[in-house]
Amino acid sequence: MALGWFYLSCLVLGSLGSMCILFTTYWMQYWRGGFAWDGSVHMFNWHPVLMVSAMVVIYGAASLVYRLPASWVGPKLPWKLLHAALHLMAFIFTVVGLVAVFQFHSHSKIAHLYSLHSWLGITTVILFSCQWFLGFAVFLLPWASLWLRSLLKPMHVFFGASILSLSIASVISGINEKLFFVLKNATKPYSSLPSEAVFANSTGLLVVTFGLLVLYVLLASSWRRPEPGTLIDREVWLPNLSAYLWAGVQVHPQ
C-alpha cells in the first residue's frame, strides 16, 4: 500500500510539474506575445518559463531521486549521478533565464535587482549554486570521509528543502509583480481580475501545490532512503526478486 501511494504521488507530481511549465509557457505565448532573443520584452518571456522549469519542476524532481525505492538497493553511484545531472540541468536553465531578464533590463534601461522578487530570486540562485558545489565536492567525489558526509548531510537536506521553498516564493512574487506591471491600465486593471490575471494566479497555485507535494514526499519519514544497515521490509517496498524467480521455476520447470 505504501509503495502504491508513493508512485501515485509521483504520477500526480509529474502531471502537476508538466502543467506548471505548460501554463507558464501558454501565459507568455498567448498574453505576452511569445518569445525572442533580441533584448525586447519577448526575450524577458523566457525568464519565467525557464525559472519555473528549472528551479521548481526539475529541481523538485532531482530532490526526489533518493525517494525512489529502486535507489535503496545496489550501488548508489548511478543515483548520485542522476541527482547531480538533474541539478546541473536546472542550474543551466537558471543561468539562461537570468541572462534573459538581465539583458532585457539592460536593453530597456531598467534597474537591476531592485525589487523583493529579484532579491529573493538571486538569493535562491546563490544558495543553489553553493548547494550544488557542496554536493558535488562532498557527496559525489570520493575524497570525503564518512564522518564529513554524515556531518554535512542534514545541512544538505535542510538547504535542499529551503531552496525549493524559496524558489516557490520567488515564482509567486514574480507572477504578482509581472501582473502589477502589465495590468495597470484603466480598462483592464489587475483588481478587476481579467482573464490573464485569473490564468496567471491559477498558474501560481499550481506551482504552490507542486512544491508542497514535493516537500511532503521529501520529508515524509516513511519514504526516506534508509540508512546503511537499517532493516526494511522488502515485501512492502521492493519486489522480492528471488521469490519471483523461484515461482517461475515452479510454474515452468525445466
Side-chain angles (χ1 to χ4, degrees), residues 230-251:
T230 302
L231 180 63
I232 59 175
D233 187 355
R234 300 296 180 190
E235 292 181 356
V236 174
W237 285 103
L238 294 172
N240 190 320
L241 181 59
S242 61
Y244 281 122
L245 291 176
W246 175 251
V249 170
Q250 297 300 311
V251 174

Side-chain angles (χ1 to χ4, degrees), residues 143-158:
W143 69 271
S145 61
L146 288 177
W147 74 265
L148 179 60
R149 293 182 179 183
S150 299
L151 178 67
L152 294 178
K153 182 179 176 181
M155 184 186 304
H156 189 67
V157 173
F158 169 77

Side-chain angles (χ1 to χ4, degrees), residues 113-188:
L113 300 176
Y114 67 89
S115 65
L116 176 59
H117 163 67
S118 62
W119 288 17
L120 273 174
I122 204 67
T123 300
T124 305
V125 173
I126 291 172
L127 287 175
F128 176 40
S129 304
C130 296
Q131 172 86 338
W132 194 91
F133 177 78
L134 175 68
F136 179 81
V138 175
F139 296 103
L140 187 59
L141 297 182
W143 69 271
S145 61
L146 288 177
W147 74 265
L148 179 60
R149 293 182 179 183
S150 299
L151 178 67
L152 294 178
K153 182 179 176 181
M155 184 186 304
H156 189 67
V157 173
F158 169 77
F159 276 103
S162 299
I163 291 167
L164 179 60
S165 302
L166 286 171
S167 298
I168 297 169
S170 300
V171 168
I172 298 306
S173 61
I175 291 173
N176 209 36
E177 182 179 285
K178 180 66 175 177
L179 289 175
F180 275 120
F181 283 158
V182 300
L183 298 179
K184 57 185 179 182
N185 58 68
T187 57
K188 286 188 177 181

Side-chain angles (χ1 to χ4, degrees), residues 182-221:
V182 300
L183 298 179
K184 57 185 179 182
N185 58 68
T187 57
K188 286 188 177 181
Y190 189 10
S191 58
S192 69
L193 271 184
S195 57
E196 180 180 0
V198 173
F199 188 87
N201 287 348
S202 301
T203 303
L205 289 178
L206 278 175
V207 169
V208 171
T209 304
F210 175 85
L212 290 177
L213 185 54
V214 169
L215 289 173
Y216 174 76
V217 175
L218 190 64
L219 300 176
S221 59

Side-chain angles (χ1 to χ4, degrees), residues 20-32:
C20 289
I21 298 173
L22 290 174
F23 272 46
T24 308
T25 304
Y26 185 79
W27 177 25
M28 294 297 108
Q29 181 66 45
Y30 183 76
W31 277 286
R32 297 293 108 213

Side-chain angles (χ1 to χ4, degrees), residues 73-97:
V73 294
K76 293 176 64 175
L77 182 59
W79 300 101
K80 288 184 177 183
L81 291 173
L82 177 60
H83 182 72
L86 287 173
H87 277 307
L88 180 60
M89 182 189 302
F91 181 75
I92 292 172
F93 282 14
T94 298
V95 170
V96 178

